[in-house]
Amino acid sequence: MLQTILDRALPRRPPAGAPAYPGPTPLPIVGNAIGFARGMIATHEDCWRRYGDFYVLHIGNKKRIFVTLRPEDAEKILITERESFSKGTTYDGVRLLFGQGLVTSEGDVWRVQRRVAQPSFNRVELAAMAGPMAAATGRMLAEWDRRLRVGDDINIHAELLKVTMWIIGETLFGLDLSGEVDASARSFAVALEELSHRGNELIQLPLWLPTPANRRLRGALRLLTETVDGIIDRRRRAGDVGQDLLGAFLRARDDEGRPLPHEQIRDQVTTFFLAGHETTAIALSWTYHLLGQDPEVMEQVEAEVDAVLGGRVPTAEDVARLTYTRSVFLEALRLYPPAWSGGRDVVRETTLSGYPIPPGVIVSYVPYLIHRHPEFWPDPLRFDPSRFAPGGAGERSRGAYLPFALGPRMCIGNHFSLLEGPLILAMLVQRYRFRPTPGAKVGQSFQITLRPDPGVFLRVAAIRDRPAEAYH
């Protein structure tokens, strides 16, 4: 309502010869920042209804964000015209957390990092990771057996954050992180929340100012740095750098034959250590939320898990046979993509949705809404795993489904996540049957990632027969 009044009172009059972009009328000084108070996704949904698949938002007098909800535009940004875009100022906030890691780096630095990391995620290495994934999940299940009874409630999101961090520690860094998970997870959550707030602020105060938010953020970043430095120092003191991902970065050389700087190794470990567990835990949490709303789908998952595994611990080969379970996980990624939005700086003039886009502005694509676009997803809000049945993609555009992005900058851990997620889900289904906790509400927290807020609360409905030798 307020925006409608503003649009009528302050009609946009672009300079002579300038393109008339769709979007809400900006106010002097603040731009569209007042509307952001409702939350970024609410702003995007309102603009989508009013202006269609392409619109422009203003932050202050100078910063413009060109938003597209078209798959073909996402493909252009990420693949076909990627040279026109960069991860420049758009990722400055994230760099406070990840430094110059694989997610945020550019150019030669990124190419060296990708070359070093890629062998750790090939098919053979991934298959070998299924064992540690299952072992970590088994430890969590054994812990549940000691404390859970039918009728008890748990926050499955908190539990999954714990086990996915165990898995990252063991598979990529050869570490038992069971004693460090809680503090690191809390610090990561604080850092994400504060960085998200900073990203939406009209004026970002310098981090050195002792505001409450800055103190919280600095404290979280300090603890995470200490944790990661400890991981690296332990490996160096061990004398054998090892054959895992951490060892690969410790052995790596840049294009001129020099060892990678400690800061760059720290940034890589931080990126994989934190981002590597967060996204899968979020995706599985939303999976359980959706399954709680659809008991029939849950029964089909249980039936497939029982038929394929027969009480065994799943291997990588078994996960490949759990096609329905995998489809459930993929559909959850569609409805609740952990990386719910993405952006780039424009470095070369281009076009999106037929509009000219000048250098020096930001473009944003929003997977959360692209995945819910009725032009590309029939009945888009319905939870329907059959969309991802083998051969079910049909003629769908690549850009219509991008939970891991696309192209050369596609998440290097996408196959890791697609092994880990269904494997954990299968093992949990083998042992526990959950129902939503009565009265529990699940909100959506659109920070840097799309977290369930305050979590996904489930009640133990049944404890199934223990699979023979499953996790002891």
Side-chain angles (χ1 to χ4, degrees), residues 50-206:
R50 299 179 63 213
Y51 307 110
D53 293 344
F54 180 88
Y55 48 90
V56 181
L57 298 173
H58 294 72
I59 300 178
N61 281 335
K62 297 180 180 179
K63 189 174 181 181
R64 291 185 292 170
I65 303 176
F66 292 71
V67 181
T68 180
L69 307 180
R70 300 296 303 179
E72 59 271 25
D73 286 342
E75 287 190 50
K76 181 179 288 190
I77 294 167
L78 298 172
I79 304 176
T80 58
E81 290 190 19
R82 61 184 181 274
E83 295 84 3
S84 299
F85 308 92
S86 77
K87 290 188 171 186
T89 59
T90 310
Y91 278 73
D92 280 350
V94 182
R95 289 187 181 97
L96 289 175
L97 179 58
F98 294 131
Q100 290 292 332
L102 197 59
V103 171
T104 55
S105 61
E106 292 272 76
D108 291 341
V109 172
W110 174 80
R111 279 187 285 274
V112 170
Q113 294 170 350
R114 185 83 181 201
R115 171 173 53 79
V116 172
Q118 191 65 56
S120 295
F121 294 91
N122 65 38
R123 183 173 299 180
V124 173
E125 295 294 332
L126 283 174
M129 292 178 187
M133 289 176 180
T137 307
R139 288 205 308 275
M140 181 176 70
L141 287 169
E143 180 185 297
W144 287 4
D145 283 353
R146 289 190 292 270
R147 63 183 174 91
L148 292 182
R149 299 293 179 268
V150 172
D152 288 349
D153 295 317
I154 65 169
N155 180 356
I156 195 74
H157 180 57
E159 302 289 333
L160 290 166
L161 283 170
K162 176 173 62 179
V163 73
T164 54
M165 192 175 283
W166 289 351
I167 288 170
I168 284 292
E170 293 175 19
T171 56
L172 300 186
F173 306 121
L175 292 172
D176 177 3
L177 297 175
S178 56
E180 302 176 59
V181 165
D182 290 342
S184 297
R186 284 195 300 271
S187 296
F188 187 42
V190 169
L192 283 178
E193 181 177 0
E194 297 301 336
L195 288 172
S196 295
H197 290 329
R198 283 178 65 84
N200 294 332
E201 289 173 346
L202 180 61
I203 299 175
Q204 293 185 358
L205 297 176

Side-chain angles (χ1 to χ4, degrees), residues 450-467:
L450 172 51
R451 285 187 161 210
D453 181 25
V456 176
F457 292 88
L458 302 175
R459 178 162 294 175
V460 179
I463 301 177
R464 309 180 74 202
D465 292 339
R466 185 190 310 275

